[in-house]
Amino acid sequence: MNSQKFETKAIRTQLQRSQYLEHSVPLYLTSSFVFEDAEDMRASFAEEKDRNIYSRYANPNSDEFIEKVCQMEDAEAGFAFASGMAAVFSTLAALLDSGDHVLSARNIFGSTHSLFTNFFPKWNISHTYFKIDALDTIEQLITPKTKIIYAESPTNPGVDILDLEALGEIAKKHNLILVIDNCFASPYLQQPIKFGADLVIHSGTKLIDGQGRVLAGITVGSNELIDKIYRFSRITGPSLSPFNAWLLSKSLETLAVRVDRHCENALKLAEFLEGHKKVNWVKYPFLKSHPQYEIAKKQMKAGGCVVAFEVKGGVKGGQDFFDFIKLLSLSANLGDSRSIVTHPASTTHSKLSVEEREETGITDGMVRVSVGLEHIDDIIGDIEQALG
Ligand SMILES: *Cc1c(COP(=O)(O)O)cnc(C)c1O
């Protein structure tokens, strides 16, 4: 692995330079690539050559985006997808067979939960959820059919923290594949492979793009596992478009400076909310009051861009808050330069039953703030006036 620092790799990793000697990488907006002759064509399809054939398989812009994320996550290989969910689905579907079982944290992204609950059963793939605050009980849930341990940290939307090192040890001991959705941390704040993860998934839509423009996903890990995911994906077709890959590769150049500011603003907002009389509780990984503060400090560089809190007054209190917001966007995305407020109970997690929401700590008055890059005084000012 290259010994340059994170920021340098993010800016200087460049796979292509054409005869025009452009400084910034060009966009390879092409669906296919040409062969020199009959022998080149045969050898390319026989995989005797490592070269581009068709952009569903690989493209120079996707390759560069993948290479950067691999450098950042200390991974051998990767595959880039059209969305975060394409990455989650394709990664799991490529590795699981009928009869296999997944052991997953209960607190996961809503669509991933739907995948486990509503779709995988039709291919005879089962799952069991474990409680994130009871990692010592996980081993009892492993069966001879278990193949994958799946988790996110920090979780969406409750910003709970899972001990990645503990999960890595359990996975290793039982010879299971540990898959971590690292979307909330971004490759800058946390590198799960260091703690024993086999595969790391990102929704590139969030902090990696960081400007609310594109949907994307990526999975990185060992050559062996990524090869299986690649073979499945080049046939099923969830590949990232070259244009989006080109945008994302540029976005990665500013990831470190952006995420530093996101985290600085988020911590200031969390501290402000902690003392506010209209707020029941606040959760942010780098607040001392967070139940897993010590673990967060151990595995993350900073706390991330998301702050969760509960407005007093139940549903009515929550609705009033959202109606009074002026500057911040009411939207379902996160990791954007624009601050966003979301009401998980009525939006991203509305498909969960009331009991399921309670189990994952999503209360009616819970607000998720994705803290953006506006001046912190303006962010706090808007939230303060909306709280009344
Ligand atoms: C948004 C998100 C996803 C899905 O990503 P898309 O790009 O929206 O498909 C998966 N996991 C987490 C934690 C997310 O926040």
Side-chain angles (χ1 to χ4, degrees):
M1 222 7 91
N2 161 354
S3 68
Q4 288 169 350
K5 303 282 190 218
F6 185 95
E7 292 79 353
T8 314
K9 289 179 188 173
I11 291 168
R12 289 289 172 180
T13 303
Q14 185 166 344
L15 298 183
Q16 304 292 329
R17 181 160 282 156
S18 78
Q19 76 270 31
Y20 299 113
L21 299 182
E22 66 282 338
H23 192 196
S24 180
V25 76
L27 172 56
Y28 291 86
L29 213 47
T30 180
S31 40
S32 68
F33 300 83
V34 291
F35 304 106
E36 309 270 355
D37 51 33
E39 170 51 20
D40 183 31
M41 191 155 63
R42 185 205 62 77
S44 301
F45 271 89
E47 296 186 37
E48 289 164 17
K49 290 184 171 179
D50 184 19
R51 55 104 81 217
N52 288 307
I53 296 175
Y54 192 57
S55 287
R56 168 150 44 81
Y57 302 1
N59 170 285
N61 293 116
S62 306
D63 285 350
E64 184 179 288
F65 171 57
I66 294 166
E67 176 58 27
K68 281 190 181 179
V69 178
C70 285
Q71 299 263 355
M72 294 171 162
E73 292 280 7
D74 220 343
E76 289 173 358
F79 193 82
F81 298 92
S83 70
M85 280 318 297
V88 172
F89 172 71
S90 306
T91 299
L92 295 171
L95 300 176
L96 293 167
D97 294 313
S98 171
D100 284 346
H101 171 254
V102 180
L103 190 53
S104 169
R106 178 66 196 80
N107 307 36
I108 48 170
F109 187 63
S111 300
T112 309
H113 164 71
S114 295
L115 186 63
F116 287 146
T117 314
N118 302 329
F119 296 98
F120 275 172
K122 67 180 186 175
W123 295 298
N124 193 27
I125 294 167
S126 61
H127 71 278
T128 308
Y129 285 135
F130 61 84
K131 290 213 172 96
I132 55 157
D133 55 357
L135 294 195
D136 49 334
T137 62
I138 295 188
E139 288 185 270
Q140 299 157 18
L141 305 173
I142 296 171
T143 77
K145 300 276 191 198
T146 308
K147 196 179 226 173
I148 286 177
I149 300 184
Y150 188 92
E152 294 172 12
S153 185
T155 63
N156 183 4
V159 290
D160 294 299
I161 301 291
L162 277 83
D163 187 336
L164 298 180
E165 197 174 2
L167 285 175
E169 279 163 16
I170 296 166
K172 195 162 179 216
K173 182 171 159 200
H174 294 272
N175 205 15
L176 303 173
I177 302 168
L178 177 60
V179 182
I180 299 293
D181 179 336
N182 199 27
C183 169
F184 263 50
S186 88
Y188 177 60
L189 298 179
Q190 169 175 282
Q191 293 95 32
I193 290 175
K194 278 192 201 148
F195 300 103
D198 297 291
L199 290 168
V200 175
I201 297 179
H202 284 282
S203 164
T205 316
K206 314 294 169 58
L207 284 166
I208 291 181
D209 172 43
Q211 287 142 91
R213 302 169 297 189
V214 297
L215 289 176
I218 185 164
T219 303
V220 298
S222 66
N223 282 323
E224 188 193 339
L225 291 172
I226 293 296
D227 190 58
K228 289 187 180 159
I229 295 163
Y230 163 71
R231 290 196 183 280
F232 178 80
S233 304
R234 70 178 227 171
I235 297 304
T236 51
S239 322
L240 182 63
S241 80
F243 181 72
N244 287 356
W246 175 81
L247 276 175
L248 292 161
S249 191
K250 295 303 281 179
S251 300
L252 285 176
E253 295 188 14
T254 56
L255 182 73
V257 283
R258 285 189 285 108
V259 175
D260 274 341
R261 179 62 66 84
H262 277 291
C263 296
E264 191 188 313
N265 281 353
L267 182 60
K268 284 183 187 157
L269 175 67
E271 284 167 353
F272 164 79
L273 290 169
E274 206 161 36
H276 200 286
K277 61 180 189 316
K278 293 274 182 68
V279 171
N280 277 334
W281 52 259
V282 186
K283 256 164 85 188
Y284 182 67
F286 269 43
L287 268 188
K288 286 208 179 66
S289 58
H290 190 288
Q292 296 100 23
Y293 172 73
E294 293 301 331
I295 303 170
K297 280 268 176 182
K298 183 182 82 174
Q299 65 196 28
M300 295 175 76
K301 194 175 158 74
C305 66
V306 176
V307 177
F309 69 97
E310 190 182 61
V311 186
K312 281 192 179 154
V315 181
K316 173 86 173 76
Q319 281 170 344
D320 284 350
F321 173 78
F322 285 97
D323 284 342
F324 286 130
I325 282 288
K326 289 193 188 114
L327 174 74
L328 276 51
S329 314
L330 271 59
S331 183
N333 197 15
L334 64 98
D336 194 316
S337 53
R338 297 162 183 231
S339 296
I340 294 170
V341 282
T342 311
H343 186 218
S346 69
T347 60
T348 51
H349 291 69
S350 60
K351 300 279 185 300
L352 271 62
S353 66
V354 176
E355 299 81 60
E356 285 175 328
R357 279 208 290 277
E358 269 166 17
E359 272 175 45
T360 46
I362 301 167
T363 57
D364 286 343
M366 178 183 187
V367 178
R368 184 188 79 184
V369 190
S370 169
V371 184
L373 306 178
E374 302 95 337
H375 196 286
I376 185 61
D377 293 351
D378 294 325
I379 298 172
I380 290 181
D382 194 31
I383 290 185
E384 187 173 25
Q385 65 79 25
L387 283 169

